[in-house]
Amino acid sequence: MNDPTGPLGPLELLWRAVSEGDEYAAVEVLDDALADGWGEEALLLDVIAPVQERVGADWAADRMTVAQEHAATAVNERAMAALAHHRQQGPPGPPRRGRVTVTCVDGEWHAFPARLVAETLRLRGWQVDFLGAQTPTQHLIAHLHHTEADAVLLSGSIPTHLPTAHAAITACQAIGVPVMAGGRAFGPDGRHARALGADHWAADARGAAAALEAGLPLPSTAAVRQAVDDLPHLTDQEYTLVRQTRSQLIKQTLVHLETRFPAVRAYTGTQRERTAEDLAHIVDFLATALYLDDAGLFTDFMTWTADILEVRKVPTRSLVAGLALLADQLHDFPRALAMIRQGTAALNDRTARPVPDPGTHA
């Protein structure tokens, strides 16, 4: 078997095909790898997954446009689907272990990681219902009543969807179905999954498969949990009030930014639209940090945003100015103010650095 990361290995060949938008070449790479003795799980997790990581890294470093990133992801998805179809033409797989549902949090469009998990579990002998991106919680619960799944695997990539994930977790557990959480939204160590009361957290597809094989304990259905049962700090209403005033916070910050940061006055319509989007993300991450009472979530987002904007020639001081204006509007919110101060300090202490090279993700 060839080294996947070598110059002629399947990882590099698939990257070339994906980055060029050539789905036929991508499928051919996987077919050739299978013929060379590669297993399907290894191709999924050691070739396809790292290529997708590299796609994301190239977008972050401004080496790919949004359109190119979408095209590359679509090709990689088609390659993964072709691999699954190839399996159906081969000999029967191992006997079924049970039935599970793999889905994304409502609002979460990044379905690629969940699909990787679903295909891995199918290879391991599970019957998998893959519901794809942004499944509304009420429809997920209806599906579970219909299928009597043994577990739900809930995927999330964007932390701002964690309050919605919390509702999904408690709803599934209320009908006796355990929930395993996974994806970057739940934190690199799964701390957000634990805070939201998930029955288990898995760092990757192999970890998820191992946990299912070991068995997940059934949740108690004695009483339906409320958000404050898991997160008692929510009683201060800061999260709720920030969410309710989201539009006003964004609008007022954008208006006052022209005074605090005069260069904004010369922005084109497109630049103003992008700035409003950035402010919306900042407010959403602040609200989520308030929900979880985790200032690190907010500061991590601010420094990541600074990295992303810097390679696009947007200075960090514009973020600092935006945070100062948010602080002016949230002067009666002690937890929010503390998080904004920490975010500002992280930006001021941040050393300019390039976005990680995609080679570090391969």
Side-chain angles (χ1 to χ4, degrees), residues 162-183:
L162 287 174
T164 305
H166 195 187
I169 290 168
T170 56
C172 292
Q173 293 170 335
I175 62 170
V177 181
V179 179
M180 185 189 308

Side-chain angles (χ1 to χ4, degrees), residues 158-348:
I158 308 299
T160 51
H161 300 137
L162 287 174
T164 305
H166 195 187
I169 290 168
T170 56
C172 292
Q173 293 170 335
I175 62 170
V177 181
V179 179
M180 185 189 308
R184 291 181 177 177
F186 293 98
D189 56 358
R191 64 182 182 274
H192 301 323
R194 291 188 291 275
L196 301 182
D199 297 286
H200 195 81
W201 168 79
D204 53 31
R206 289 188 175 103
L212 282 177
E213 289 162 12
L216 297 181
L218 292 178
S220 170
T221 59
V224 177
R225 296 198 321 278
Q226 302 297 320
V228 293
D229 294 328
D230 293 327
L231 307 170
H233 54 268
L234 291 177
T235 55
D236 68 10
Q237 295 294 301
E238 287 201 30
Y239 163 75
T240 301
L241 292 171
V242 168
R243 289 298 303 171
Q244 289 177 345
T245 59
R246 175 182 184 272
S247 296
Q248 180 182 344
L249 287 170
I250 296 167
K251 181 179 179 179
Q252 290 301 315
T253 302
L254 187 59
V255 168
H256 293 301
L257 196 58
E258 294 185 1
T259 301
R260 190 73 63 90
F261 196 60
V264 175
R265 299 171 188 170
Y267 277 12
T268 65
T270 299
Q271 287 175 314
R272 290 181 65 85
E273 183 178 341
R274 296 289 87 80
T275 302
E277 289 177 356
D278 290 338
L279 289 172
H281 290 315
I282 290 171
V283 172
D284 288 343
F285 269 85
L286 176 61
T288 305
L290 289 169
Y291 189 87
L292 291 160
D293 199 29
D294 186 340
L297 189 154
F298 184 65
T299 56
D300 287 348
F301 171 72
M302 293 308 305
T303 53
W304 177 85
T305 300
D307 291 342
I308 295 297
L309 293 180
E310 188 168 80
V311 297
R312 291 159 175 80
K313 312 303 181 185
V314 179
T316 300
R317 65 181 181 275
S318 63
L319 291 175
V320 174
L323 290 183
L325 293 170
L326 272 179
D328 290 344
Q329 297 177 75
L330 296 172
H331 55 84
D332 290 329
F333 296 71
R335 285 201 298 128
L337 278 178
M339 291 180 183
I340 290 173
R341 292 190 186 105
Q342 291 181 53
T344 302
L347 291 174
N348 288 331

Side-chain angles (χ1 to χ4, degrees), residues 115-200:
R115 180 70 184 274
L116 279 172
V117 171
E119 294 304 330
T120 300
L121 295 180
R122 287 190 178 113
L123 282 171
R124 299 278 186 111
W126 293 88
Q127 181 181 353
V128 180
D129 299 315
F130 177 62
L131 306 188
Q134 62 157 25
T135 303
T137 298
Q138 66 269 29
H139 296 300
L140 169 60
I141 298 304
H143 172 80
L144 296 178
H145 280 301
H146 178 69
T147 61
E148 298 182 352
D150 298 306
V152 167
L153 284 80
L154 190 65
S155 176
S157 296
I158 308 299
T160 51
H161 300 137
L162 287 174
T164 305
H166 195 187
I169 290 168
T170 56
C172 292
Q173 293 170 335
I175 62 170
V177 181
V179 179
M180 185 189 308
R184 291 181 177 177
F186 293 98
D189 56 358
R191 64 182 182 274
H192 301 323
R194 291 188 291 275
L196 301 182
D199 297 286
H200 195 81

